[in-house]
Amino acid sequence: IHHNRTVVSTLGDHPVMINFDNKLMEHVIHNILNNAYKYSDANSAIVLDFEEKEDNIAITITDSGIGIPEEEQSQLFSSFFRASNTMSYPGTGLGLGIVKQFIDLHSGTVTINSQINQGCSVTVTLLKQQ
């Protein structure tokens, strides 16, 4: 679907153990990356960053796309909700709600930081295996 796009990634220098369901996590990352591709310019890079903290790992996907209106961000995880500036793009409004449910099942968190025309960062935080 998104040919010739660049994803810039940073990875740590040692393995980190996290318990998660492979299929669910694949869906989470795919959905967030797909949104980043869909709502940003075809010539812009997407950044996929992994940050290890004391007891968790944060996976952040950042784009430089259309952004999300601030007053609508609290509704992003509601089923069928679509931001007012996305109506000309295909979608059902289910993706981020499903992402949130999957991450909740893993006792993690999903946060979004966005500004109109400045892009969007979606961070998934998961506990490290002890």
Side-chain angles (χ1 to χ4, degrees):
I1 294 175
H2 305 285
H3 303 287
N4 300 319
R5 295 297 300 264
T6 300
V7 174
V8 178
S9 184
T10 56
L11 302 169
D13 57 357
H14 63 280
V16 175
M17 300 298 290
I18 303 169
N19 286 324
F20 61 82
D21 180 279
N22 290 344
K23 287 285 189 196
L24 294 182
M25 194 55 58
E26 181 180 313
H27 183 78
V28 164
I29 299 299
H30 178 266
N31 183 277
I32 298 169
L33 279 173
N34 190 54
N35 282 349
Y37 290 138
K38 184 179 359 178
Y39 299 120
S40 63
D41 184 85
N43 297 317
S44 65
I46 306 299
V47 177
L48 174 61
D49 182 50
F50 296 86
E51 181 183 1
E52 183 180 0
K53 299 179 182 179
E54 187 174 318
D55 62 348
N56 63 51
I57 185 159
I59 304 165
T60 302
I61 298 173
T62 303
D63 66 62
S64 56
I66 65 171
I68 303 161
E70 185 176 346
E71 63 276 6
E72 297 177 9
Q73 291 178 23
S74 64
Q75 300 172 63
L76 287 175
F77 300 118
S78 302
S79 294
F80 303 108
F81 176 79
R82 300 196 65 215
S84 59
N85 61 337
T86 65
M87 296 309 167
S88 63
Y89 298 85
T92 61
L94 290 173
L96 286 176
I98 292 170
V99 164
K100 174 99 170 79
Q101 287 179 346
F102 287 175
I103 296 304
D104 286 350
L105 288 172
H106 289 84
S107 300
T109 61
V110 182
T111 56
I112 295 178
N113 183 5
S114 183
Q115 294 181 348
I116 288 292
N117 298 320
Q118 299 295 311
C120 184
S121 290
V122 179
T123 300
V124 171
T125 304
L126 299 167
L127 293 175
K128 292 195 306 192
Q129 185 176 343
Q130 300 300 319

